[in-house]
Amino acid sequence: MEPFILTAVYFIIAIAIVLIGLILFEFMTKKYKDWDEILKGNHAVSLSIGGKIVGICIVLAFSIYHSTSVVDTLIWGAYGVLLQLIAYVLFELFTRNFSVEEQLQKGNISVGIISMCVSIGLAFVIGASIT
């Protein structure tokens, strides 16, 4: 029975950490509200948010594989969200020719795809570094 209980615990942790991560990302976007844009059909924002969700889950998956306790998973999950937030800020800073946030708001699918790839790609790097 213990594996079933642990699976349920990790499932609840994953949902909580993803929700917290999405709330933090929502605070970071100043020019629009993520879910309002998604409801309007903004595919660029949907891709970006989807990448963040998948990225956070990848980090959590690696943390579950390598952690010795539920507390370790919580710590690594929180750290993964923090690093994803930092990655988003750096992505915005490194694109000096345009604002990622403005382009996402305008529905620029190309920027949405790159944003998604940054989140997912760095999640694999973060996850692989968990020992």
Side-chain angles (χ1 to χ4, degrees), residues 4-130:
F4 293 105
I5 293 170
L6 273 176
T7 298
V9 169
Y10 285 125
F11 176 74
I12 292 166
I13 287 170
I15 290 171
I17 290 176
V18 167
L19 288 175
I20 290 167
L22 291 176
I23 289 167
L24 292 173
F25 278 112
E26 181 79 25
F27 283 125
M28 289 181 65
T29 53
K30 305 285 187 228
K31 299 177 192 263
Y32 61 87
K33 297 293 179 199
D34 295 331
W35 297 105
D36 291 346
E37 290 298 313
I38 291 169
L39 288 173
K40 290 179 193 174
N42 187 328
H43 298 296
V45 171
S46 296
L47 287 164
S48 181
I49 295 299
K52 290 171 180 68
I53 292 169
V54 173
I56 291 168
C57 289
I58 289 169
V59 173
L60 285 169
F62 275 99
S63 71
I64 291 168
Y65 293 145
H66 297 289
S67 296
T68 57
S69 70
V70 171
V71 173
D72 282 350
T73 298
L74 283 168
I75 292 168
W76 281 111
Y79 190 55
V81 169
L82 173 67
L83 292 175
Q84 289 276 3
L85 290 167
I86 291 169
Y88 184 78
V89 170
L90 291 174
F91 180 46
E92 182 73 55
L93 289 174
F94 291 149
T95 53
R96 295 183 304 231
N97 294 337
F98 62 89
S99 165
V100 172
E101 192 173 341
E102 286 177 10
Q103 291 300 311
L104 290 173
Q105 184 181 22
K106 291 178 181 178
N108 187 327
I109 298 290
S110 296
V111 174
I113 291 170
I114 295 297
S115 177
M116 178 183 70
C117 292
V118 166
S119 294
I120 293 172
L122 288 177
F124 279 111
V125 172
I126 295 164
S129 71
I130 296 173

